[in-house]
Structure formats: C-alpha cells, structure tokens
Amino acid sequence: MAQPPSPLASQAGPPREGAEILCIGSELLLGSILNSNARWIAEQLAALGVPHFRQTVVGDNQARLARCLREASERCRLLICSGGLGPTPDDLTTETIAHTFGSPLQERPELLQTIEARHRRGAMLPGSRKQALLPRDATVLPNPSGTAPGLIWEAVPGFTLMTFPGVPAELRAMWQATAVPWIRRAGLSQGVFASRTLKFWGASEPALAAAVAPWLQRSNPTLAPYAGVGEVKLRLSVRAASREEAEHRLLADEVPLRNLPDFPCYGSDDETLASAVLGLLIRTGQTVAVAESCTGGGLGAALTVLPGSSAAVLGGVIAYGDRIKREQLGVSQALLEAHGAVSDAVARAMAEGVRQRLGSDWGIAVTGIAGPGGASDRKPVGLVHVAVAGPAVTYGQHRRFLAERGRNWIRQLAVGEALDQLRRALLEA
C-alpha cells in the first residue's frame, strides 16, 4: 500500500492544500454523458472531512492533460483523476502522468495476469496490455470489477495522484476498498463535514438570501442559497471534530432556518414536495385523488413514483377536454361557458368532482395554459389555476409563470404549486 504524502515541510514554494478532482474525457466536454463522478467524489471527500477546492474537466488531449496535471501539482496535496484508463488509443491518462512527472512506465506482471484472466471468454483487445503499465514508483489501486487498474503515486513531494476508471460502478468500488483507508491514514482530513439542504417552495432567491444575510457571512457553519425549479435551497454546512459534534451544531442552526418568517421550509435533503405530501397523508390516514388538465398526468406521476404511495393515492383523471371534465368530473357546461376551462371556478369543480367520484378525503386539480398556443389577452400562457377540495373546505388560487421558460417549465411549476397547496391544506386541517 502506498505511503501517505511527504510532510509539507519537504515542499518547495507555497504549501499545497486539500484535494482537487480532474475528470478526463472528451465525451464530458461534448455533453455526451453526465459527469456524475465529480459530484460523487465531492460528496465522499466532504464526508471524510477532506477540503476540496477545485474540479476540472479536460478532453483526451495529452498536452492539455499534462498542463492540468502540472498546475494541480502546484496547488493541492491530492489529485483524484477519473477516466482515460481504458485500452483504446484515446485513453492517455497513465502515460501522460508518467511523462509529465518524469517516470518510466513499467509493466506489472500481476496486472497483466489479471487482465488476461478477465479476457478468457473473448480475445484480448490489442490495447489492453497497456493497462498493465504504471509509473515505476506508483502503487496499484486495484480494480476488483474491471480491467483498468488505478494508481496511487506521490509524483512529487507533498503531491499525490489517484487514478480511477470513468465507469462509476468501478470507481466507487475502488474508492471504498482502497482510497478511503489510504486517505484516512494520510491525515488529509480537517475534521468532519456535515451538511443539510433546506428547501423552500415559491420563494425568490434574492428575498430568501436577504432574510438569511447574517448566516451568509459565517465561515463555520457556512450557508449558501441555490435556485431550483420553483424553489430555493439553502445548503448549511458545518465542520467539527466529530460526527456527533457536527450533527449537533447543524441542528442548532437548522431549527431557526426552518422557521424563518414568510419562508416556510417544506423539507430537506432528499425530501421532495411529493414525499412531504405523501408523508402527511399516510401519517394522518387520509387519501387523495387528482384531476389534471395542463399537467397531463404529471401530478399523479410525482406522487405515485414514490414507494408506498398506494396507501394514500387512490387515482386520478386526466381531463384535457371539456367533455371529460363534464362526464368524468361532473363540471357543468354552464360553468365552462361562464368562466372557461382555465378558471378558478372550474378548478374547484374539478377538485370536488374527483374527490366525490373516487371517494378520497382530498381532491386536487390543475388547469392552465402551458402554451405555446391557446392563450388570450385575459388568459396568457403561463396562467395556472390550482384547487384543493377537502373534508371541510374547497379553495383555489392562480399563478402566472413565465411563458418564456417554455411549456415543460410551466408544467413542472404547476405540479409543484399543486403539491404545495395540498401540503399547506393538510398542515392546516
């Protein structure tokens, strides 16, 4: 197993700090695949308490890759590389690393034997043999599920490289088996990091940022706002000596943030509006049915994609046409003629109708104009009406979303608005 990096005192120049991630592959630059490895590695570094300061993506170009390697070697203590370890000519990571830091490549017999064994069921590719080549002083980072091994190498004093294949499943197995124990022994951790992402539906990012301005000036914990589709997230992060202390400090700051005046927090981390609604329904033993026009089944899909949804979601009606609104939901022709399908009155009738027809405790309805056509001066693209019908009350409201964002954007926001209205109704009931 490789030894931890040399002491910082042995370095020339400014001390190197923390870790960086370098993802290699032209397919990442072209957008052909999502760079999920960088996010996953970043989460793992945070969990280990390793400061992480930069992420870089570079294509399959030897000169540009070498430049990235040299620059990183002057900044960080640990560079984690992903990609470019395969058998094809554009897989240049290992040889570029060796060339950049002046080490000859050596064939490792044990690696070649493993690679040959994994090709017994088919002919070994001509380039596969190069996967057994590593810089002379590097330590193998074993790959238990693929043919591309990685390496751990202190290429210059105080600077260590780790390489992983780009295949996420292989990278993650190698990380847990070898990289994590090495990082812990190397003393790269600066405590334990813990974080929580709080979610606020319908808030504007500037308004929420102004409400939490004192938190934004802190260095530990730190707070950062992020805008999403119809919501704003606040990521609260703390660093402490132990997991217990980190969680305690996190909770102390989380409570006031969850109870900000005028900014109700609906959940955190992996929670969604749909999961918040489903949880409330299940805990209170209640059921819901949905009636949808402009969202075309998106509201029902958001609820039923969750495990256990059958305990609370009875069903729904996609009522795009007026005839379906009349026949399946009981919306009167007189109401449609007087107010139009996109109206508060029709949304209320749809919610009451689906509740009655399906026998649920709650009914929720959405009708609107998602565009790009079908609008008028009185009813523009982006106008959405939501109604909630419950055991004691039926109420509705309308929102106007930006038409410029397009049809799918409007439909997503309409689903979120409907879920949030039901969530609020359940909390107030």
Side-chain angles (χ1 to χ4, degrees), residues 117-257:
R118 288 182 176 155
H119 283 87
R120 282 176 183 168
R121 295 184 180 180
M124 192 167 79
L125 296 172
S128 294
R129 188 174 188 121
K130 76 173 186 177
Q131 294 178 301
L133 298 172
L134 292 183
R136 181 177 55 197
D137 298 323
T139 298
V140 176
L141 203 165
N143 184 343
S145 54
T147 61
L151 62 83
I152 303 176
W153 183 33
E154 189 178 18
V156 296
F159 171 71
T160 297
L161 285 150
M162 286 186 179
T163 65
F164 299 85
V167 180
E170 295 181 19
L171 180 152
R172 296 179 186 192
M174 295 164 69
W175 178 270
Q176 298 296 348
T178 307
V180 169
W182 184 92
I183 288 171
R184 285 175 172 157
R185 287 197 309 275
L188 293 172
S189 173
Q190 292 187 9
V192 174
F193 289 84
S195 65
R196 187 91 73 246
T197 300
L198 305 179
K199 300 179 178 181
F200 303 80
W201 177 262
S204 76
E205 186 178 12
L208 185 56
V212 298
W215 279 274
L216 299 179
Q217 306 304 317
R218 301 180 184 181
S219 58
N220 187 30
T222 61
L223 188 69
Y226 302 94
V229 180
E231 66 181 14
V232 180
K233 303 174 183 178
L234 292 178
R235 184 173 180 85
L236 178 67
S237 301
V238 300
R239 184 179 70 248
S242 67
R243 172 63 57 183
E244 293 74 17
E245 181 187 350
E247 291 293 340
H248 177 76
R249 294 181 60 183
L250 199 62
L251 181 61
D253 277 273
E254 177 185 351
V255 170
L257 290 170

Side-chain angles (χ1 to χ4, degrees), residues 113-408:
Q113 185 178 7
T114 300
I115 293 167
E116 289 174 338
R118 288 182 176 155
H119 283 87
R120 282 176 183 168
R121 295 184 180 180
M124 192 167 79
L125 296 172
S128 294
R129 188 174 188 121
K130 76 173 186 177
Q131 294 178 301
L133 298 172
L134 292 183
R136 181 177 55 197
D137 298 323
T139 298
V140 176
L141 203 165
N143 184 343
S145 54
T147 61
L151 62 83
I152 303 176
W153 183 33
E154 189 178 18
V156 296
F159 171 71
T160 297
L161 285 150
M162 286 186 179
T163 65
F164 299 85
V167 180
E170 295 181 19
L171 180 152
R172 296 179 186 192
M174 295 164 69
W175 178 270
Q176 298 296 348
T178 307
V180 169
W182 184 92
I183 288 171
R184 285 175 172 157
R185 287 197 309 275
L188 293 172
S189 173
Q190 292 187 9
V192 174
F193 289 84
S195 65
R196 187 91 73 246
T197 300
L198 305 179
K199 300 179 178 181
F200 303 80
W201 177 262
S204 76
E205 186 178 12
L208 185 56
V212 298
W215 279 274
L216 299 179
Q217 306 304 317
R218 301 180 184 181
S219 58
N220 187 30
T222 61
L223 188 69
Y226 302 94
V229 180
E231 66 181 14
V232 180
K233 303 174 183 178
L234 292 178
R235 184 173 180 85
L236 178 67
S237 301
V238 300
R239 184 179 70 248
S242 67
R243 172 63 57 183
E244 293 74 17
E245 181 187 350
E247 291 293 340
H248 177 76
R249 294 181 60 183
L250 199 62
L251 181 61
D253 277 273
E254 177 185 351
V255 170
L257 290 170
R258 280 183 176 270
N259 294 285
L260 290 169
D262 304 320
F263 295 98
C265 173
Y266 76 79
S268 63
D269 295 337
D270 294 332
E271 289 182 275
T272 64
L273 276 170
S275 68
V277 166
L278 189 63
L280 287 169
L281 288 167
I282 292 174
R283 285 195 294 274
T284 57
Q286 299 183 87
T287 58
V288 67
V290 301
E292 306 184 57
S293 183
C294 67
T295 49
L299 178 55
L303 286 165
T304 56
V305 75
L306 301 169
S309 57
S310 60
V313 182
L314 297 188
V317 176
I318 300 175
Y320 240 57
D322 286 356
R323 180 175 64 84
I324 307 302
K325 292 180 176 70
R326 293 194 306 269
E327 296 177 359
Q328 302 300 321
L329 298 174
V331 180
S332 71
Q333 181 63 30
L335 203 64
L336 288 164
E337 290 176 355
H339 300 279
V342 179
S343 63
D344 180 65
V346 169
R348 288 169 179 257
M350 290 170 64
E352 292 168 352
V354 79
R355 177 174 178 260
Q356 294 168 1
R357 298 291 174 93
L358 274 67
S360 58
D361 296 298
W362 294 88
I364 184 164
V366 187
T367 180
I369 302 172
S376 67
D377 291 340
R378 291 181 58 245
K379 297 183 179 183
V381 171
L383 177 65
V384 173
H385 289 264
V386 174
V388 175
V393 66
T394 298
Y395 66 92
Q397 73 171 41
H398 69 274
R399 294 284 302 276
R400 184 177 175 184
F401 304 119
L402 289 175
E404 293 80 5
R405 293 292 186 95
R407 181 178 180 83
N408 288 338

